Amino acid sequence: MTLQEYDYAQESPSKLAASCLLLALTMKNLGGWTPTLEYYSGYCSQDLHPLVKRLNFLLTYQPRDKLKAVRTKYSHRVFFEVAKVTPMDMLKLEEVLKSC
């Protein structure tokens, strides 16, 4: 989704990928940012927090008429229906990120 948004063009691809992973881990309640993830990504959890919040905001307030084909594709069970996963509440996300 960020490929269609100019606001994310200045972000490094590695930081964007790491932030997406942290958001996915948080959304699915699969744990936080581990020392192994920090070592291999080169980013500590606190470096990613602002971008994670922006990504969740993008998921929450993305107009449904944009990227319809992408949403349809990733709503299929072959792709584990990831397009149907509801974004986190912004306050809950903030609370979870503070504990990381």
Side-chain angles (χ1 to χ4, degrees):
M1 290 176 65
T2 59
L3 291 174
Q4 301 288 324
E5 301 292 330
Y6 184 74
D7 294 340
Y8 294 91
Q10 79 276 3
E11 299 294 343
S12 73
S14 63
K15 187 172 186 179
L16 190 57
S19 297
C20 288
L21 177 60
L22 178 55
L23 179 58
L25 290 171
T26 306
M27 288 172 73
K28 299 298 280 179
N29 199 23
L30 296 173
W33 203 244
T34 65
T36 303
L37 290 171
E38 184 175 334
Y39 175 80
Y40 284 107
S41 71
Y43 297 104
C44 69
S45 176
Q46 288 74 24
D47 295 340
L48 303 175
H49 289 182
L51 188 51
V52 168
K53 292 175 195 174
R54 286 178 48 214
L55 289 166
N56 191 62
F57 186 85
L58 177 67
L59 289 173
T60 303
Y61 297 105
Q62 180 71 20
R64 296 295 179 210
D65 58 332
K66 289 176 78 177
L67 304 174
K68 244 182 183 171
V70 174
R71 287 191 188 282
T72 302
K73 176 180 179 178
Y74 289 99
S75 293
H76 195 274
R77 65 183 177 93
V78 170
F79 296 103
F80 303 101
E81 300 178 336
V82 295
K84 294 179 180 178
V85 175
T86 56
M88 288 190 71
D89 177 66
M90 296 301 280
L91 294 175
K92 183 177 180 183
L93 178 62
E94 182 76 34
E95 184 180 303
V96 171
L97 290 177
K98 280 184 183 177
S99 68
C100 291

